[in-house]
Amino acid sequence: DVKVTQSSRYLVKRTGEKVFLECVQDMDHENMFWYRQDPGLGLRLIYFSYDVKMKEKGDIPEGYSVSREKKERFSLILESASTNQTSMYLCASSYVRGRQPQHFGDGTRLSIL
Amino acid sequence: QKEVEQNSGPLSVPEGAIASLNCTYSDRGSQSFFWYRQYSGKSPELIMFIYSNGDKEDGRFTAQLNKASQYVSLLIRDSQPSDSATYLCAVKRLTGGGNKLTFGTGTQLKVEL
């Protein structure tokens, strides 16, 4: 079974802090993704990566950055957390070839106070 | 127009009935379609995927795709209370790389005893 592990299930941070969310997958997937999910807005793609050190902006990259130094690990960084970044953050991974589905981690519920 | 549209529901069906969940998409060139189930507070889990016009069956689940009408549906036969969840439709875009998906906002299904 595919295992996508997010470092924290719940996280509380303060406005202005630099926040790191970590994601690790064990299936040697080339692609990794970060989404946020908000009521009524669904899943929105923040950033994705299709290879080590490669990244592309998704639909809502403002206020976020990412890092992928190793194939299995993809980090999401909130440079200066703001209250409007309070959300559920979901990491996913997939193979790059073919019509492959994405597999999700358990999610991190982040609250910015 | 949203890229992927779903009725938010809730859709209520009695136990044992057939639940029909619908999804329309705007990108006529979309090629891959996925259904995810998401329980409250949990991450999405893949139920089915479909690429070709017609029906695809897997146990109690049937996915139906009509590319001419840009319509994909999920039928759940013999609905059980454990099927109560939000069902997300996801479409793989043609443009861009890395197996990006666009998600609908989901339909909430309630199976009543």
Side-chain angles (χ1 to χ4, degrees), chain A residues 9 31 33 35 37 40-43 45 48 50 59 88 90 94-96 98-102 104-106, chain B residues 2 31-32 34 36 38 41-46 49 51-52 88 92-93 97-101 103-105:
Chain A
R9 281 289 279 133
N31 293 328
F33 307 83
Y35 296 89
Q37 186 174 31
L41 298 177
L43 277 161
L45 181 64
F48 73 100
Y50 50 89
D59 300 316
M88 169 71 90
L90 289 158
S94 74
Y95 291 114
V96 69
R99 299 160 168 170
Q100 298 295 325
Q102 294 180 14
F104 286 85
D106 288 338
Chain B
K2 291 182 180 178
Q31 293 187 329
S32 308
F34 304 86
Y36 287 83
Q38 187 174 25
K42 302 293 186 182
S43 63
E45 57 177 320
L46 180 71
F49 53 88
Y51 309 134
S52 304
L88 304 175
K92 181 176 187 297
R93 309 177 198 175
N99 199 28
K100 288 191 291 186
L101 298 179
F103 286 83
T105 53

Side-chain angles (χ1 to χ4, degrees), chain A residues 73-84:
Chain A
R73 187 180 297 271
F74 193 33
S75 302
L76 179 70
I77 303 155
L78 286 66
E79 298 291 345
S80 177
S82 64
T83 55
N84 62 12

Side-chain angles (χ1 to χ4, degrees), chain B residues 64-81:
Chain B
Q64 298 176 318
L65 176 60
N66 184 325
K67 288 188 177 181
S69 300
Q70 295 175 243
Y71 177 96
V72 58
S73 64
L74 179 70
L75 301 178
I76 306 174
R77 289 181 299 281
D78 188 23
S79 295
Q80 301 297 310

Side-chain angles (χ1 to χ4, degrees), chain A residues 4-110:
Chain A
V4 181
T5 303
Q6 294 184 230
S7 53
S8 305
R9 281 289 279 133
Y10 301 94
L11 205 54
V12 180
K13 296 291 182 180
R14 295 209 173 273
T15 304
E17 280 193 71
K18 191 169 186 176
V19 181
F20 293 86
L21 302 182
E22 307 286 341
C23 176
V24 177
Q25 50 94 5
D26 67 354
M27 283 300 292
D28 204 34
H29 285 163
E30 296 89 355
N31 293 328
M32 296 189 75
F33 307 83
W34 276 106
Y35 296 89
R36 62 178 284 178
Q37 186 174 31
D38 301 286
L41 298 177
L43 277 161
R44 293 181 291 167
L45 181 64
I46 304 171
Y47 266 98
F48 73 100
S49 168
Y50 50 89
D51 202 352
V52 175
K53 297 191 186 294
M54 306 302 288
K55 61 185 179 184
E56 282 198 24
K57 293 180 180 178
D59 300 316
I60 51 164
E62 297 78 18
Y64 303 94
S65 63
V66 290
S67 172
R68 192 163 181 203
E69 297 296 319
K70 293 185 177 182
K71 191 175 185 180
E72 68 270 18
R73 187 180 297 271
F74 193 33
S75 302
L76 179 70
I77 303 155
L78 286 66
E79 298 291 345
S80 177
S82 64
T83 55
N84 62 12
Q85 292 178 309
T86 291
S87 186
M88 169 71 90
Y89 289 87
L90 289 158
C91 174
S93 70
S94 74
Y95 291 114
V96 69
R97 290 186 179 81
R99 299 160 168 170
Q100 298 295 325
Q102 294 180 14
H103 300 272
F104 286 85
D106 288 338
T108 296
R109 187 161 293 281
L110 175 64

